[in-house]
Amino acid sequence: MKPAWLAKLSPSWRARMVRLGFNLHPAFRGSGGRVVHVGRDLRHIRIALPLSWKTRNIVGSLYGGSLFAITDGAHPMMLMAALGDGYIVWDKAASIRYKKPGYATLYADFTLSAEELAEIRRRLAERPELEQTFQVELKDAQGVVHTVVERTVYIAEKNFYRNKTIGGDL
């Protein structure tokens, strides 16, 4: 599902292009967030959400919509890159829990460990589709958690997904 030209780039250029793609995308830009790091293997993404006039709510803390929006798309992108073109990956559900207001820049780290990826591959070998839930903590520079977002991602073998959508089972 990733563009073929992206796969042809060296790992460092691939990471730069993913970072640039996120940061230039109008919906992501509107969130006020900024991708500050993408790992060479595309299994780690760090996003910063600064407190600014664009991200401040009526009481002066970070706007909840921005906190939620910066978590959209990172895990699906990492899974698409790791699993390859034989799979469909979609965001399916999400929830957010506010622990304390953010009055400074918050950071979200998205990781896809080798163990998680191996477990996903194992489960896909048993069944052609699955749902995987990821938890992301938004922390300040001192590591204090301000918000926790859970995102559920749907993953399916491409042929299974196509047959399922043709039959109208979704």
Side-chain angles (χ1 to χ4, degrees):
M1 288 187 50
K2 64 183 175 185
W5 61 267
L6 188 60
K8 295 177 184 177
L9 297 175
S10 71
S12 63
W13 275 104
R14 200 173 346 193
R16 288 178 190 152
M17 293 307 291
V18 167
R19 188 179 73 228
L20 185 65
F22 265 100
N23 287 331
L24 291 179
H25 192 281
F28 189 78
R29 287 178 64 92
S31 73
R34 183 121 179 106
V35 174
V36 294
H37 172 77
V38 176
R40 289 173 58 96
D41 61 1
L42 305 183
R43 292 195 192 160
H44 176 251
I45 295 176
R46 183 165 228 221
I47 297 175
L49 180 64
L51 181 65
S52 71
W53 68 272
K54 287 174 34 175
T55 60
R56 184 175 289 128
N57 65 20
I58 197 166
V59 295
S61 66
L62 283 163
Y63 175 62
S66 291
L67 293 165
F68 197 57
I70 66 164
T71 67
D72 192 13
H75 280 112
M77 191 288 310
M78 293 189 304
L79 285 163
M80 284 187 269
L83 294 173
D85 290 333
Y87 296 90
I88 298 290
V89 182
W90 291 100
D91 265 323
K92 185 160 185 179
S95 66
I96 188 167
R97 288 188 312 270
Y98 304 103
K99 294 187 166 278
K100 64 187 296 186
Y103 291 103
T105 299
L106 296 185
Y107 301 90
D109 284 292
F110 303 83
T111 57
L112 181 60
S113 71
E115 293 80 15
E116 282 177 308
L117 188 55
E119 177 63 15
I120 290 169
R121 287 184 191 279
R122 184 194 65 73
R123 289 174 54 207
L124 284 168
E126 293 174 359
R127 244 181 124 203
E129 69 177 344
L130 62 89
E131 292 179 7
Q132 179 74 30
T133 300
F134 297 95
Q135 185 171 294
V136 180
E137 296 177 331
L138 285 83
K139 301 176 183 179
D140 61 23
Q142 290 72 39
V144 176
V145 177
H146 290 257
T147 303
V148 178
V149 177
E150 282 190 358
R151 289 207 167 259
T152 301
V153 178
Y154 171 81
I155 308 164
E157 292 175 0
K158 197 175 274 188
N159 291 332
F160 174 82
Y161 178 81
R162 285 188 180 137
N163 293 335
K164 187 174 181 175
T165 57
I166 290 170
D169 292 339
L170 282 181

